[in-house]
Every structure is written in C-alpha cells, then in structure tokens.
C-alpha cells in the first residue's frame, strides 16, 4: 500500500478506535504529510468533521498557494461537502482509497479540473464494508440518509 494511503488508513483506524466512523485523510505537500485527520463527527458531536474536513482543520489557515501544491489522500470517495472544500481551496489532486462502498462527488471534482486517482484498495473496501454492516444507522447518518 502507498505510504500516504497507509497514513490515511491509520487515521481511519484511530477514528474507529475512538468510537467513530473509519474514514481518514492526510494532506501531502512536497512528499511530506503536513496534516492528518479522521472522521470525528461522533467524537466531537459535529455535523461537519469528516476525515477530509478534519485534515483541513488540522492544517490550519494557509496562504492559498500552499493548498494548490498539495495532494489530499482519503480512504473513501469525498462527499459533496468535502469535495466543495477541496475545490474552495484549490487542491489539485486527490487520491482515493476506494469508491465502492460510497461514490462521492468525483464527477464534480473532475469537472472542475481536480486530478483523481482511485486505488480501489481492498483494505479500504473491507474496512468500510465491515463498518457499514456493523453500524448501518451511524453510517446512514454520516452520509445524510434516512
């Protein structure tokens, strides 16, 4: 597994171990991780702390040019909210662990020039399938379903 995707998976497992949803993300610039995050909606009683949003929050404020030099790695296809943040900050590349269990706003990202790489990583698929099977109500809440 790619080292940066592995770091995102490690973040996802931190979230799972905290009682949250196992989705993790890292932001990479110049071959180094500059921010990490994981879905903390449950832990922080938050409406918006998806893995990507948490990584951006942990990156703190940056000059616009910094975001444009980054690649965001995420274990799961970004939802419309996270995709909007990716576009807002001009992050040009996103590497996605998997999009089988949830297909986010990938076409919207592509339509706005974001380079996407979907790795279809078996460990990411298994992690989400297990979580969804064990926690369907929490999963549906996270993605805005009934």
């Amino acid at each position: 597994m790619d080292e940066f995707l592995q770091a995102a998976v490690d973040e996802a497992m931190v979230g799972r171990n905290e009682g949250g949803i196992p989705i993790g993300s890292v932001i990479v610039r110049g071959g180094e991780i500059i921010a990490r995050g994981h879905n903390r909606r449950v832990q922080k009683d938050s409406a918006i702390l998806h893995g990507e949003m948490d990584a951006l929050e942990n990156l703190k404020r940056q000059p616009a040019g910094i975001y444009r030099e980054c690649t965001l790695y995420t274990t799961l296809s970004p939802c419309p909210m996270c995709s909007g943040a990716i576009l807002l900050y001009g992050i040009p590349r996103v590497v996605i662990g998997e999009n089988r269990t949830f297909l986010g706003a990938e076409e919207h990202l592509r339509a706005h020039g974001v380079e996407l790489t979907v790795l279809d990583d078996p460990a990411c698929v298994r992690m989400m399938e297990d979580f969804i099977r064990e926690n369907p109500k929490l999963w549906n809440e996270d993605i805005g379903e009934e």
Side-chain angles (χ1 to χ4, degrees):
M1 179 182 294
D2 173 282
E3 70 177 292
F4 299 126
L5 181 60
Q6 182 62 59
V9 168
D10 293 346
E11 282 294 318
M13 293 312 299
V14 168
R16 177 73 189 253
N17 292 338
E18 292 173 347
I21 298 161
I23 302 168
S25 185
V26 297
I27 300 173
V28 175
R29 179 177 180 239
E32 293 185 30
I33 295 172
I34 61 171
R36 299 169 179 267
H38 53 274
N39 187 305
R40 294 191 307 154
R41 289 187 68 249
V42 173
Q43 300 91 312
K44 295 290 186 177
D45 197 27
S46 170
I48 62 170
L49 278 180
H50 283 185
E52 300 90 340
M53 301 297 278
D54 190 44
L56 283 165
E57 180 68 13
N58 291 332
L59 183 56
K60 305 297 181 199
R61 284 180 44 213
Q62 299 293 325
I66 298 294
Y67 301 104
R68 294 184 185 119
E69 297 172 354
C70 292
T71 300
L72 186 144
Y73 285 75
T74 183
T75 58
L76 186 65
S77 184
C79 75
M81 175 181 64
C82 296
S83 295
I86 289 164
L87 293 176
L88 177 67
Y89 292 107
I91 296 172
R93 290 172 301 285
V94 177
V95 178
I96 300 166
E98 67 102 351
N99 63 4
R100 288 190 207 182
T101 59
F102 177 78
L103 179 59
E106 292 180 21
E107 287 308 313
H108 186 66
L109 288 168
R110 281 190 189 96
H112 286 85
V114 177
E115 175 189 332
L116 300 182
T117 303
V118 179
L119 298 177
D120 196 28
D121 182 80
C124 290
V125 173
R126 189 171 41 259
M127 180 171 56
M128 286 310 301
E129 286 176 343
D130 291 348
F131 179 80
I132 292 166
R133 184 181 60 257
E134 295 165 9
N135 302 279
K137 185 175 178 184
L138 184 54
W139 171 243
N140 287 335
E141 174 192 317
D142 194 63
I143 60 172
E145 298 287 328
E146 293 292 324

